[in-house]
Amino acid sequence: MGENGWRRTDAWIFVSVLIASGAGRHRRAASTRRPEGVRLADVLSTADHLNRSIPERHEVEAAVRRLAGAGLVSVADGWFRITPDGERLWRTRPSAGLATTVDTVQGVLSRRHTPGNADWQLADEEHAAAVQEYLVRSIPAPRRSPEGHPERG
């Protein structure tokens, strides 16, 4: 694939934003003022789950610039969102078969869309803070003994 084609990282970040967005919808009350979308720590968490690695800052920045430039994702005020075109791409993708979802999406991107180049930057500090937030959230809470708590058996 040439320098101007879609990269696997682009598909990885797209699928991560999409899955993270869907995973949080059940937690959002109808009356909430929270915008639709997910934060960077949620994207990194999902990306780590999909690929067993946390994407580097430059990988996220390059992928989001290309995806946003193609009209598939948007980022505003730190919130990552899938656009209607991105949702359409996701809903109309072929069944994965033996391929992974990321590989399937990369194939769809290559056939249906041209990568763009949106003007978006991810600061080193913002990426580092999101990585730290994700790592802290992923540490399991210590188990507490039921002893000393009369309301528990």
Side-chain angles (χ1 to χ4, degrees):
M1 194 161 295
E3 184 65 27
N4 295 328
W6 289 102
R7 298 177 182 102
R8 189 171 197 282
T9 304
D10 302 330
W12 178 32
I13 299 303
F14 176 80
V15 172
S16 297
V17 172
L18 191 113
I19 291 173
S21 296
R25 289 188 185 179
H26 70 279
R27 290 180 283 182
R28 217 172 284 135
S31 61
T32 185
R33 292 180 181 247
R34 179 178 151 191
E36 278 291 314
V38 292
R39 306 296 275 175
L40 181 57
D42 299 317
V43 175
L44 298 179
S45 170
T46 305
D48 185 29
H49 176 75
L50 288 172
N51 206 38
R52 297 184 192 255
S53 68
I54 299 171
E56 299 289 328
R57 186 207 60 79
H58 69 277
E59 292 175 310
V60 175
E61 181 178 85
V64 169
R65 290 177 73 139
R66 295 158 61 81
L67 292 162
L72 301 172
V73 301
S74 67
V75 183
D77 299 325
W79 293 94
F80 292 73
R81 296 171 187 85
I82 297 293
T83 66
D85 284 345
E87 287 186 30
R88 201 169 9 268
L89 179 143
W90 178 253
R91 282 193 312 268
T92 61
R93 77 191 186 289
S95 172
L98 295 176
T100 68
T101 302
V102 173
D103 293 333
T104 300
V105 167
Q106 183 181 2
V108 171
L109 286 170
S110 296
R111 287 188 299 278
R112 297 187 195 170
H113 292 275
T114 302
N117 190 14
D119 185 24
W120 182 78
Q121 294 181 338
L122 177 58
D124 287 330
E125 303 80 32
E126 188 178 344
H127 182 265
V131 169
Q132 183 64 30
E133 179 184 336
Y134 163 56
L135 293 174
V136 167
R137 285 192 322 204
S138 65
I139 297 172
R143 299 185 105 192
R144 297 186 181 179
S145 170
E147 293 177 22
H149 296 281
E151 66 276 359
R152 297 183 189 164

